Amino acid sequence: MWAGLVAAEQRPNILFIAVDDLRPELGCYGSPIAQSPNLDALADDGLLFHRAYCQQAICRPSRASLMTGARPDTTGLYHNYVALRDLQPQIVTLPQHLIQHGYETAYCGKIFHRGDTDDAQSWSRTAVRKVPGLPRPNGPYALPKNNQLKASNLKAMIAKYGDQAKRGLAQGPAYENADVPDHAYNDGYNTQMAIATMKEMAMDPKKPFFLAMGFHRPHLNWTAPSKYWDLYDPKQIPMSAQPIGPTAGAAMGLHASFELRTRYGIPKHGDLPKPLARTLKHAYLACVSYVDAQIGLLIDALEQQGLRENTIIIVWGDHGWHLGDMGIWGKATNYEIATRVPLLIWTPNMKTRGKGTDALVELVDIYPTLCQLSGVPCPQHVEGKSFVPLLNDPDQTWKQAAYSQYPNPALREWAANPLSDAMRETWFGPLISDVEQRIIKQQGSSWDRELFEKHLMGYTMRTDRYRLVLWLDHRDRDSEALYAELYDHETDPLETTNIAAEHPALVTKLSHQLRAQWKQAGDKVGSAAGVQ
């Protein structure tokens, strides 16, 4: 283990691997079906976190939080259509901080969210952009007919709704099974670019590198070469054991699977047919195995370059994903299935290998952890806690809780931004109306459209035993909760029944704990603006 501050040439390299929309659907996490041999091998020689949580279950806020070490309430970033630097022009990101301490940094694929790559400040060099002998993918799909279908759908929607249509109102198929090589899709091609970049960066052994590789799959659309589909027998794929939402759960806690329903061929209302649901899970699993294979190639390249013994490897998912769980498809909830993420780490000098830890950790903890492992000071604005001690003693007492948040999923678009006019006018109109009526029925006199659409925030705390969700007016977090949810993971790990009404004293106790944590974070950093 690296300890204390060290000279740049003595610092370890870091291979930083992000996987979009990956829930812990891996062999090493106990999945009975997932084929993930490379990540399983990494877990067998490193440390696997059984209870790691994102800070918001949507791409841009989650990644901004991880990359800055600051929670969404600190960054102010809650949806996919606002840039981090517009809100926090001075905050120092993890790779930016490493540059200041002698690192070379580069990325391939998706690390920050699309349009928020922070090229000018977070990256010291441009990654290799072209791989000789390999043609670039021609579009999001390998089959021309599907690229054409997406383009024609988008053209029609833009003609009707203008720029609003560019925010995902028109899509191609949700999945594709094509007999093509790995590099025919972006993740495979980007992996080869990352390997070429790694070779370039390794040419200066006196300068440690931070190489970030971000995989798009298993984010929709679920496109993967046929050989990964062939790893699974559809008849053997288990479907969700929880096809309905929680009893007495918040009516605003679940959405109408908007993100999936934009895809061509997906029903715009009602439940998915069972054969389609099975195909979709098959597609998701194929993408998991496809990404696992690319991660194997990256690690093999690291070893072939003689870099493994001086490189930290960390793999994380930005949030979970409902695959029919609670009756929905997508991320964007405050429940366990959306907030829990896979997290694995391997270091050359860790004392404990091949174990898992039940310690509660958060993605916001990665920034201080990598600072400590690389021997650089941690910026004062960082709100996470380094989990380096767990690498030597994974069973020690750790955090009391992990915290996440999400603005009203039921009355937001799939990117967590407020509902647009176009969303209301399309086939989503009936879905939005249905959800709204359920909220009105449950909330009664508390209902206010302005509040519920624009200002309602679900704050959730996961302790060793419980998950608490408080639905608060974000403008006044000290106000009384509009609704509370409490789930006992000792007796109800799938969060099927909200028991808050039966345990008011426990809700009050846990609510004090949740509110105190947010206040402590605010007192510690204030606004992140101006942090250096």
Side-chain angles (χ1 to χ4, degrees):
M1 201 73 62
W2 289 270
L5 304 185
V6 296
E9 61 268 19
Q10 297 175 301
R11 291 179 183 142
N13 304 311
I14 301 171
L15 181 58
F16 185 81
I17 301 174
V19 189
D20 207 347
D21 286 17
L22 178 65
R23 68 195 221 159
E25 192 75 42
L26 302 167
C28 52
Y29 277 99
S31 171
I33 191 73
Q35 301 294 309
S36 52
N38 295 290
L39 287 171
D40 296 349
L42 188 65
D44 285 344
D45 197 37
L47 180 64
L48 180 145
F49 295 84
H50 291 296
R51 298 194 297 183
Y53 296 89
C54 69
Q55 276 46 78
Q56 188 176 327
I58 195 75
C59 298
R60 199 168 200 156
S62 176
R63 290 164 183 265
S65 174
L66 185 155
M67 297 296 285
T68 62
R71 300 179 187 278
D73 264 3
T74 300
T75 66
L77 202 160
Y78 306 114
H79 64 78
N80 283 355
Y81 295 118
V82 61
L84 173 65
R85 291 300 179 188
D86 288 346
L87 299 174
Q88 301 293 346
Q90 301 302 322
I91 198 167
V92 177
T93 69
L94 172 61
Q96 182 182 2
H97 184 63
L98 292 175
I99 291 170
Q100 295 170 0
H101 292 274
Y103 272 81
E104 188 89 276
T105 68
Y107 77 97
C108 292
K110 181 179 178 182
I111 299 299
F112 290 94
H113 190 67
R114 182 180 60 188
D116 207 13
T117 54
D118 204 39
D119 289 347
Q121 298 185 62
S122 289
W123 312 106
S124 62
R125 67 180 293 149
T126 301
V128 169
R129 294 303 187 200
K130 193 178 297 184
V131 182
L134 292 183
R136 279 184 173 277
N138 290 322
Y141 301 96
L143 301 178
K145 65 177 183 180
N146 288 332
N147 284 320
Q148 293 166 6
L149 181 60
K150 178 179 180 179
S152 62
N153 288 343
L154 180 59
K155 182 178 180 180
M157 292 298 273
I158 290 175
K160 187 171 184 179
Y161 296 111
D163 286 344
Q164 289 188 54
K166 296 178 181 178
R167 293 187 172 185
L169 284 178
Q171 299 284 347
Y175 59 90
E176 181 180 84
N177 177 348
D179 187 11
V180 294
D182 288 6
H183 63 260
Y185 294 114
N186 285 325
D187 280 340
Y189 193 86
N190 288 344
T191 299
Q192 295 304 315
M193 291 197 299
I195 290 171
T197 302
M198 180 194 301
K199 292 177 180 178
E200 286 190 357
M201 297 174 86
M203 293 175 69
D204 184 357
K206 293 184 179 181
K207 198 169 185 66
F209 66 75
F210 175 90
L211 177 60
M213 174 63 213
F215 293 98
H216 290 81
R217 304 284 80 83
H219 189 291
L220 285 166
N221 300 307
W222 294 320
T223 56
S226 297
K227 62 182 177 181
Y228 299 105
W229 288 74
D230 294 344
L231 294 173
Y232 300 94
D233 177 354
K235 297 177 182 178
Q236 300 301 316
I237 295 175
M239 303 305 291
S240 175
Q242 186 189 9
I244 59 174
T247 300
M252 51 276 192
L254 295 170
H255 52 74
S257 307
F258 293 137
E259 183 179 15
L260 176 63
R261 292 187 193 274
T262 63
R263 271 60 192 180
Y264 176 81
I266 303 298
K268 307 309 177 190
H269 199 275
D271 296 334
L272 302 186
K274 290 182 179 179
L276 175 60
R278 185 172 298 278
T279 297
L280 293 174
K281 187 165 185 182
H282 188 177
Y284 183 92
L285 288 165
C287 288
V288 170
S289 295
Y290 171 48
V291 167
D292 178 81
Q294 307 316 303
I295 292 173
L297 293 175
L298 275 174
I299 295 174
D300 286 348
L302 198 67
E303 293 175 344
Q304 292 165 10
Q305 292 297 307
L307 300 169
R308 178 75 183 262
E309 293 308 313
N310 190 40
T311 301
I312 298 161
I313 304 172
I314 187 165
V315 181
W316 52 274
D318 59 352
H319 44 70
W321 226 85
H322 291 251
L323 288 168
D325 311 277
M326 298 187 174
I328 69 168
W329 294 76
K331 52 246 185 189
T333 76
N334 277 308
Y335 299 116
E336 186 85 358
I337 200 72
T339 58
R340 181 170 169 248
V341 299
L343 177 62
L344 302 87
I345 192 169
W346 183 95
T347 77
N349 301 322
M350 60 195 299
K351 294 180 181 178
T352 300
R353 296 190 180 279
K355 288 195 68 174
T357 176
D358 288 330
L360 292 164
V361 299
E362 303 171 276
L363 291 185
V364 78
D365 298 335
I366 289 177
Y367 194 138
T369 298
L370 292 180
C371 284
Q372 185 174 352
L373 286 172
S374 57
V376 305
C378 186
Q380 291 186 350
H381 79 270
V382 171
E383 296 176 2
K385 175 182 179 180
S386 169
F387 51 70
V388 166
L390 294 172
L391 275 62
N392 292 336
D393 180 9
D395 298 322
Q396 65 183 284
T397 301
W398 203 243
K399 282 187 177 184
Q400 291 186 337
Y403 302 87
S404 308
Q405 62 188 103
Y406 202 94
N408 186 352
L411 294 178
R412 290 269 175 149
E413 297 190 11
W414 52 91
N417 52 302
L419 290 167
S420 65
D421 293 339
M423 270 283 285
R424 294 181 184 280
E425 292 177 19
T426 62
W427 51 79
F428 294 111
L431 291 172
I432 295 167
S433 178
D434 288 351
V435 171
E436 188 176 281
Q437 290 306 309
R438 287 199 296 271
I439 296 173
I440 293 171
K441 181 179 180 180
Q442 182 185 71
Q443 295 299 311
S445 61
S446 297
W447 167 254
D448 176 87
R449 181 170 281 108
E450 168 89 8
L451 166 61
F452 276 74
E453 285 195 15
K454 297 183 179 179
H455 307 296
L456 187 64
M457 181 74 74
Y459 289 92
T460 182
M461 179 177 71
R462 176 66 157 92
T463 69
D464 180 63
R465 179 170 177 176
Y466 298 103
R467 173 172 298 282
L468 175 73
V469 186
L470 295 183
W471 294 94
L472 303 173
D473 184 337
H474 186 254
R475 297 166 296 185
D476 182 9
R477 294 198 302 271
D478 292 329
S479 62
E480 183 179 352
L482 278 78
Y483 201 76
E485 297 177 81
L486 180 66
Y487 301 95
D488 185 348
H489 275 254
E490 187 174 284
T491 60
D492 184 22
L494 295 181
E495 300 180 344
T496 64
T497 304
N498 174 19
I499 59 172
E502 291 78 28
H503 300 277
L506 180 56
V507 170
T508 297
K509 178 183 177 181
L510 293 173
S511 296
H512 286 321
Q513 181 180 344
L514 185 152
R515 291 175 188 271
Q517 188 281 329
W518 249 278
K519 186 174 188 304
Q520 288 167 4
D523 289 345
K524 177 181 177 184
V525 300
S527 171
V531 174
Q532 296 292 338

